[in-house]
C-alpha cells in the first residue's frame, strides 16, 4: 500500500517505510494533483491544468516526462497510465486528504484533525494548488469552528479558546475566525487578551490588505472595552481576498512600466462607480503583460468584490472562465433555490444537477440559457453586496461562444452592483471576424467600452528593467540591444535576462507556436525570410520559395496580423521582423543543411536580379 500525505509537506510511505518523493517540481505537482483527484483523469485535462501557459503539444510532452519521473519514484503498480488517461490506483493508494474528508463526513472529527499537519501541499505554489489549499483550509476551519461551538456548549471554555486559536492560525486574514477567538477569550474571562487579538488583527489587515476591520468587529471591540460580554456568535463576511490565480500572476516579480495603462484603468473604474457599468478590453501579443496589468490594477481595490477567471485552450466545460469566477463567489454568497438549481448545472459542488437541466440546454436553449444568465447575475450581486464588482476574464482568445453570450449579458444588464468587466485576449490569435471580437465590437453600441492595446516597452523602460535586475551594463547601449531583440515584450525581456547566453526555451516555444498557428504557408515563407535577414524584400523571398507573389502576400499578411513582421514605412516592398528573437528562433530551428539550401536559393534569386538591376541588388 502506498500512502500519500499532502496535508503539509509532500510525504510518501510504502508498506510502512518512508520513500523519497519525486525531486523535480513538475513531478511533485503531478503527484499532488492525482492524489487530490481520485480515479482516472483524461491526459488532456491533467496537462492543461498543470501546464496552463504553454501550448497543448508542449503540455503533453511535459506530462510524459513527469509521469516517467513519478513512476520511478512510486512504482508502476500505484500509477495507472494509458494513452488517454492517467491516475493513481485507488485500491493501492491511501491519501490523507481523502481520508480527512471521509472521517469528517463520518463524524470522526478528532481523527480527521490529526491528519492536518500543515497547509495543503506546502512548498508548491501553482495556481491549482492555491485554489485547492483554500478549499481545504475552509473545510478545516469550519470543522474547528463546529468543535469550538460544541466545547462552549458543554462549558469547556478553555477548550473552545484553544480550538478558536487553531482556526485563526489557519488564515491570519480571516476576520470571522478572529472575531470568534475574541468572543471565546472574553467568555473565558480574558477580556484583555481579546482586545490584544483585535489590535493585532486590525494592524495586520491594514498593513497587508490596506483595509479596516468591519463595523461589527469594531462594535465588538467597543463592547469589550465597555465591559460588556459578547452574546452568541454572529457570522461575519470575510475580508476581500485576491483570487488565488490572480495572486499567482502578481508573484512573478515587479511589473514593468505601465503607468499610462494603469491610469486608463483607474479612470474606467471611476466611470463604472459613477455610471454603473463599464467594459474594458485589454489586448496585445503573448507575453506583453495583459494578465499582469489587470492583476496589479485589481490589487489596488481592496474595497471591491474581485473575481478572476481564465479561459483555457481545451476547456472541457462551457462558460469555463465564468465558472472559475462563480466557484470563488459561491461559497461566500447566498442565492435563491431556483438560482442554485440553474447554477448546479455548471457547478457540481452545489449538488446533483436538477432534472431537466442539461449542458446542451444551458448553452443552446434560449429559455434555459436566460435562466442561467439570470442566476449568474444574482450570484454576482450577492457576492458583491454593497461593494463595486470587478470581474476579470482573461485569455478570451480561447473562450467559447457561450462565454461570449454570457459576457455580453453581464456587460449590458442594467441592474445589479456597479461593475467593471475587464476582458483580455491575444489579438494576434483572434481575427477580426472571430465571434467574440464581433460581439465585443457590437457591445460598444450598448455600453461604454474602453480599449487598451499593450505595445512593447520603450527603450527607457527596458533600461529601467536592467537597472532593477542589477545588470552591470545597465546603460542605454545594452537597453538598445535588448529592445531590438525583444521588441520590448516583457516576457521576452525577462527570459533574456535569465538566459543571457541566448534565447530561452520558453521564448522559442512561444514563438514557434505563434508561427505554426498561422498555417504551413506562412511558416515556410517566414523561414525563408528569416534566412534573408531582419528586413527582407517579399518578392525576393517569394521567388526563392517558388511561390506566386499573391500567395506570398497572403502568407505575410497573416504574419503581420499576428505581429510577427511589419511593413517598413520607408519602402513598401520591404517587411521586417518585429523582434530579432522571431528571426533568430525561426532560423535557429533549421538544420545546417536546410539553412545552406535556403541561402543558395536566395543567392540565386539575388544574382539574377543583380544582372537586371545592379544599382539595387549589387553591394557598393
Amino acid at each position: 500500500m502506498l500512502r500519500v500525505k499532502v496535508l503539509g509537506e509532500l510525504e510518501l510511505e510504502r508498506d510502512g517505510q518512508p520513500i523519497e518523493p519525486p525531486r523535480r517540481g513538475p513531478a511533485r505537482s503531478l503527484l499532488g494533483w492525482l492524489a487530490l483527484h481520485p480515479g482516472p483523469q483524461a491526459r488532456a485535462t491533467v496537462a492543461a491544468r498543470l501546464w496552463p501557459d504553454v501550448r497543448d503539444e508542449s503540455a503533453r510532452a511535459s506530462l510524459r516526462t513527469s509521469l516517467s519521473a513519478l513512476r520511478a519514484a512510486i512504482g508502476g503498480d500505484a500509477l495507472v497510465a494509458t494513452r488517454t488517461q492517467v491516475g493513481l490506483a485507488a485500491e493501492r493508494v491511501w491519501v490523507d486528504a481523502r481520508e480527512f474528508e471521509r472521517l469528517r463526513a463520518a463524524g470522526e472529527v478528532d481523527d480527521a484533525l490529526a491528519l492536518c499537519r500543515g497547509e495543503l501541499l506546502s512548498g508548491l505554489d501553482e495556481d491549482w494548488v492555491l485554489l485547492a489549499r483554500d478549499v481545504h483550509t475552509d473545510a478545516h476551519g469550519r470543522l474547528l469552528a463546529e468543535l469550538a461551538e460544541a466545547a462552549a456548549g458543554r462549558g469547556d471554555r478553555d477548550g473552545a479558546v484553544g480550538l478558536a486559536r487553531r482556526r485563526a492560525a489557519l488564515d491570519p486574514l480571516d476576520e470571522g475566525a478572529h472575531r470568534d477567538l475574541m468572543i471565546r477569550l472574553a467568555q473565558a474571562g480574558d477580556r484583555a487578551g481579546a482586545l490584544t487579538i483585535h489590535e493585532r488583527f486590525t494592524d495586520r489587515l491594514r498593513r497587508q490588505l490596506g483595509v479596516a476591520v468591519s463595523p461589527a468587529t469594531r462594535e465588538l471591540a467597543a463592547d469589550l472595552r465597555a465591559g460588556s460580554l459578547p452574546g452568541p456568535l454572529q457570522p461575519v463576511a470575510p475580508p476581500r481576498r485576491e483570487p488565488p490565480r490572480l495572486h499567482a500572476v502578481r508573484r512573478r516579480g515587479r511589473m514593468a512600466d505601465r503607468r499610462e495603462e494603469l491610469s486608463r484603468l483607474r479612470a474606467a473604474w471611476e466611470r463604472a462607480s459613477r455610471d454603473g457599468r463599464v467594459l474594458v478590453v485589454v489586448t496585445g501579443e503573448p507575453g506583453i503583460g495583459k494578465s499582469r496589468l489587470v492583476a496589479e490594477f485589481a490589487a489596488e481595490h481592496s474595497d471591491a468584490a474581485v473575481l478572476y477567471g481564465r479561459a483555457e485552450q481545451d476547456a472541457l466545460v462551457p462558460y469555463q472562465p465564468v465558472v472559475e469566477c462563480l466557484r470563488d463567489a459561491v461559497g461566500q454568497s447566498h442565492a435563491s433555490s431556483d438560482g442554485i438549481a440553474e447554477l448546479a448545472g455548471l457547478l457540481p459542488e452545489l449538488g446533483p444537477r436538477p432534472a431537466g437541466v442539461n449542458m446542451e440546454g444551458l448553452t443552446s436553449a434560449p429559455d434555459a440559457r436566460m435562466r442561467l444568465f439570470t442566476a449568474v447575475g444574482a450570484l454576482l450581486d450577492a457576492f458583491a453586496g454593497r461593494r463595486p464588482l470587478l470581474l476579470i476574464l482573461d485569455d478570451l482568445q480561447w473562450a467559447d461562444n457561450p462565454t461570449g453570450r454570457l459576457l455580453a449579458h453581464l456587460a449590458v444588464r442594467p441592474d445589479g452592483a456597479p461593475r467593471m468587466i475587464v476582458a483580455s485576449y491575444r489579438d494576434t490569435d483572434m481575427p477580426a471576424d472571430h465571434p467574440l471580437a464581433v460581439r465585443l465590437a457590437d457591445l460598444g453600441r450598448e455600453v461604454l467600452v474602453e480599449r487598451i492595446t499593450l505595445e512593447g516597452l520603450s527603450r527607457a523602460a527596458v533600461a529601467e528593467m536592467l537597472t532593477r535586475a542589477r545588470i552591470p551594463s545597465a546603460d542605454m547601449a545594452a537597453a538598445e540591444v535588448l529592445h531590438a531583440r525583444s521588441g520590448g515584450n516583457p516576457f521576452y525581456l525577462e527570459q533574456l535576462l535569465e538566459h543571457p547566453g541566448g534565447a530561452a526555451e520558453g521564448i522559442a516555444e512561444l514563438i514557434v507556436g505563434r508561427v505554426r498557428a498561422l498555417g504551413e504557408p506562412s511558416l515556410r515563407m517566414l523561414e525563408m525570410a528569416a534566412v534573408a535577414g531582419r528586413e527582407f524584400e517579399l518578392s525576393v523571398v517569394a521567388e526563392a520559395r517558388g511561390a506566386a507573389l499573391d500567395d506570398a502576400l497572403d502568407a505575410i499578411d497573416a504574419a503581420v496580423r499576428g505581429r510577427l513582421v511589419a511593413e517598413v514605412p520607408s519602402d513598401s516592398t520591404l517587411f521586417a521582423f518585429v523582434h530579432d528573437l522571431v528571426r533568430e528562433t525561426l532560423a535557429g530551428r533549421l538544420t545546417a543543411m536546410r539553412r545552406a539550401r535556403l541561402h543558395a536559393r536566395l543567392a540565386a534569386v539575388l544574382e539574377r536580379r543583380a544582372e537586371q538591376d545592379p544599382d539595387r541588388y549589387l553591394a557598393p
Side-chain angles (χ1 to χ4, degrees), residues 35 61 128-129 200 211 227 338 355 481 491 501 584:
W128 74 265
V129 174
R200 290 175 179 172
V211 298
D338 290 340
V481 173
F491 173 74
E584 293 171 11

Side-chain angles (χ1 to χ4, degrees), residues 317-320 322-331 339-354 357 359 362 372 375-376 379:
V317 296
Y319 308 109
Q320 182 253 331
V322 181
V323 168
E324 282 192 11
C325 295
L326 298 180
R327 284 208 167 98
D328 199 33
V330 73
I340 289 294
E342 298 298 336
L343 293 173
L346 291 180
L347 302 173
E349 56 265 39
L350 292 179
R353 184 179 297 167
V357 175
M359 200 62 70
L362 292 177
L372 173 66
V376 169
L379 176 59

